């Protein structure tokens, strides 16, 4: 099975978490694109979706799935999204697609967070994947210097602007041994909009697409 086929398996398995007549939270990325494709097949069973990016909104609207503004809904039962890395406690690195801020907001507003990924995303220690950090453009160099102080090697994702009009720094060379601590530490720096560590609000369930099919992983 290819990596993309494993993503598809995880996306298909996530359908069982979708609740009839409810609004589902939908993330961003290639794995989520598979999820949107299968969600379209049962769109008549759900009320609609809240979306974490312009790209996912466009894809869902293309299928005729109603997309709600988060301000117009009373919380979300289930949020389905991908990840760039997950550790065994279901702490995540997200933001490879640059949608981390809206993703973190929807994850926070949702009762249950189901993460879907192929098996390569499960790691013992996060940090091999460069940590995305969304910053206010005027703070970019200041934040980059602060990230160097903690041992990171920030690289500006040049030419990329987030849906919120901000910049992204991808931080290489980190070994994230204490994800909650690092998330909180970075959150305290003025100019950072969102840190791509999802540890204060980790996933509740990880569905991994593997060579043997979809496997459900719960936190250690
Ligand atoms: C976007 C994300 C994605 O969930 C993450 O990058 C995984 O993407 P893919 O499913 O394409 O591997 O966080 O901001």
């Amino acid at each position: 099975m290819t990596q993309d086929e494993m993503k598809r398996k995880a996306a298909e398995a996530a359908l069982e978490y979708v609740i009839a007549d409810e609004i589902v939270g939908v993330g961003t990325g290639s794995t989520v694109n598979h999820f949107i494709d299968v969600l379209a097949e049962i769109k008549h069973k759900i009320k609609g979706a809240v979306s974490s990016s312009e790209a996912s909104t466009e894809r869902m609207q293309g299928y005729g799935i109603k997309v709600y503004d988060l301000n117009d809904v009373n919380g979300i039962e289930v949020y389905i999204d991908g990840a760039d890395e997950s550790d065994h406690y279901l702490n995540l690195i997200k933001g490879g697609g640059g949608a981390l801020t809206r993703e973190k907001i929807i994850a926070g507003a949702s009762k249950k967070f189901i993460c879907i990924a192929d098996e390569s995303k499960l790691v013992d220690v996060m940090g091999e994947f460069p940590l995305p950090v969304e910053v206010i453009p005027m703070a970019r160099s200041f934040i980059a210097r602060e990230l160097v102080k903690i041992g990171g090697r920030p690289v500006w994702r040049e030419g990329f602007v987030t849906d919120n009009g901000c910049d992204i720094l991808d931080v290489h060379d980190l070994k994230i041994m204490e994800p909650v601590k690092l998330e909180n530490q970075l959150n305290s720096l003025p100019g950072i909009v969102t840190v791509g560590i999802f540890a204060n609000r980790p996933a509740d369930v990880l569905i991994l697409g593997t060579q043997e099919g979809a496997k459900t992983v719960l936190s250690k």
Side-chain angles (χ1 to χ4, degrees):
M1 225 185 287
T2 64
Q3 188 180 26
D4 197 55
E5 285 165 343
M6 290 190 274
K7 288 180 180 192
R8 178 80 183 193
K9 289 283 174 209
E12 286 168 354
L15 268 190
E16 80 170 79
Y17 289 90
V18 174
I19 301 172
D21 301 321
E22 284 286 349
I23 288 168
V24 60
V26 175
T28 301
S30 56
T31 318
V32 166
N33 281 346
H34 284 300
F35 176 71
I36 294 172
D37 296 347
V38 292
L39 186 68
E41 291 164 22
I42 60 150
K43 67 177 180 192
H44 53 283
K45 291 189 182 165
I46 59 165
K47 199 167 161 197
V50 166
S51 170
S52 70
S53 64
E54 304 297 337
S56 290
T57 297
E58 204 177 300
R59 195 175 186 95
M60 286 193 280
Q61 288 177 336
Y63 279 123
I65 297 171
K66 186 164 171 52
V67 178
Y68 289 83
D69 188 299
L70 180 61
N71 290 305
D72 297 330
V73 307
N74 263 333
I76 300 166
E77 290 296 321
V78 180
Y79 177 48
I80 314 281
D81 197 1
D84 300 301
E85 279 184 349
S86 171
D87 67 16
H88 294 273
Y89 300 94
L90 310 194
N91 300 308
L92 310 173
I93 285 186
K94 290 185 47 53
L100 61 166
T101 296
R102 296 186 188 189
E103 292 173 343
K104 201 174 259 197
I105 293 168
I106 301 180
S110 300
K111 286 193 191 149
K112 206 168 210 177
F113 178 5
I114 313 297
C115 182
I116 51 177
D118 70 88
E119 61 185 355
S120 71
K121 305 287 182 75
L122 184 62
V123 298
D124 290 331
V125 178
M126 297 192 297
E128 185 72 32
F129 187 92
L131 173 67
V133 176
E134 182 167 356
V135 297
I136 298 288
M138 72 165 282
R140 192 183 62 241
S141 299
F142 159 60
I143 296 297
R145 289 192 294 275
E146 294 299 308
L147 291 165
V148 169
K149 284 184 197 162
I150 61 157
R153 184 169 55 85
V155 176
W156 175 24
R157 207 182 287 182
E158 221 171 331
F160 181 88
V161 178
T162 70
D163 285 346
N164 315 303
C166 294
D167 291 342
I168 298 239
L169 294 169
D170 292 303
V171 192
H172 297 248
D173 300 343
L174 292 176
K175 260 198 169 167
I176 305 175
M177 306 303 288
E178 296 177 284
V180 171
K181 193 172 164 194
L182 185 59
E183 184 181 6
N184 291 340
Q185 185 186 348
L186 295 179
N187 275 340
S188 72
L189 289 175
I192 288 187
V193 178
T194 301
V195 181
I197 300 174
F198 285 51
N200 284 295
R201 203 292 178 235
D204 299 302
V205 175
L206 172 63
I207 304 176
L208 278 185
T210 75
Q211 290 297 344
E212 291 80 43
K215 280 190 185 160
T216 300
V217 180
L218 299 176
S219 180
K220 243 186 185 177

